[in-house]
């Protein structure tokens, strides 16, 4: 049966791709079986949210370009089978990440007096372009310093 080198766990941003290579280090059947067992076939399995999981080439290169629906951790199993039916598997984790949104305000501090209105601009951005399930939500809260909590100085 073949032997597979372990594949290191991977962290990938959801708009990027991974391409780990499966390395078969030894298959005694390749050298000792008359007629040979040298035909290696590869398979890959992983539960993914959108159903378009990793693929593997005939020479053992795994390719996966996760989507925003795949954000989270996925266990990926790779199996190699030789021509005589011997198999070996290895598993690795792919952690699919999402960059956090950014928020900017045109002023750090706004001084206002009781009965007046303060205006400012707050802008948000999703640096990785977002996903249909993402939404930028802003929440503005009233913050009053301790000195003015009784509002007598306002």
């Amino acid at each position: 049966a073949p032997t597979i080198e372990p594949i290191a766990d991977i962290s990938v941003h959801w708009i990027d791709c991974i391409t780990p290579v499966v390395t078969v280090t030894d298959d005694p059947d390749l050298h000792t079986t008359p007629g040979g067992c040298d035909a290696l076939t590869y398979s890959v399995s992983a539960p993914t949210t959108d159903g378009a999981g990793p693929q593997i080439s005939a020479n053992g290169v795994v390719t996966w370009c996760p989507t925003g629906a795949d954000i989270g951790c996925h266990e990926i199993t790779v199996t190699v089978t030789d021509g005589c039916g011997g198999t070996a598997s290895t598993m690795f984790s792919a952690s699919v990440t999402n960059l956090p949104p950014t928020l900017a305000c045109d002023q750090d501090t706004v001084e206002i007096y009781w009965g007046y209105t303060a205006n400012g601009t707050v802008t948000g951005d999703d640096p990785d372009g977002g996903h249909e399930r993402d939404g930028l939500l802003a929440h503005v809260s009233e913050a009053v310093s301790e000195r003015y909590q009784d509002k007598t100085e306002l």
Side-chain angles (χ1 to χ4, degrees), residues 81-93:
T81 305
D82 67 20
C84 292
T87 64
S89 295
T90 189
M91 185 176 70
F92 66 98
S93 295

Side-chain angles (χ1 to χ4, degrees), residues 5-135:
E5 290 278 326
I7 298 173
D9 292 343
I10 297 171
S11 181
V12 60
H13 184 250
W14 72 266
I15 59 174
D16 295 328
C17 296
I18 61 171
T19 56
V21 176
V22 178
T23 304
V24 177
T25 56
D26 184 35
D27 188 351
D29 292 337
L30 296 179
H31 311 292
T32 61
T33 305
C37 292
D38 56 349
L40 296 176
T41 56
Y42 298 88
S43 63
V44 63
S45 65
T48 59
T49 306
D50 65 0
Q55 304 297 312
I56 192 162
S57 68
N59 60 349
V61 178
V62 176
T63 303
W64 186 33
C65 299
T67 68
D70 294 312
I71 293 168
C73 191
H74 301 271
E75 299 295 323
I76 299 173
T77 302
V78 176
T79 302
V80 62
T81 305
D82 67 20
C84 292
T87 64
S89 295
T90 189
M91 185 176 70
F92 66 98
S93 295
S95 178
V96 181
T97 61
N98 180 21
L99 293 175
T102 59
L103 186 65
C105 182
D106 63 349
Q107 299 178 36
D108 289 335
T109 304
V110 176
E111 185 174 324
I112 61 169
Y113 298 95
W114 190 254
Y116 289 86
T117 302
N119 294 308
T121 303
V122 177
T123 55
D125 182 42
D126 191 348
D128 57 18
H131 181 266
E132 58 270 9
R133 74 176 187 189
D134 289 348

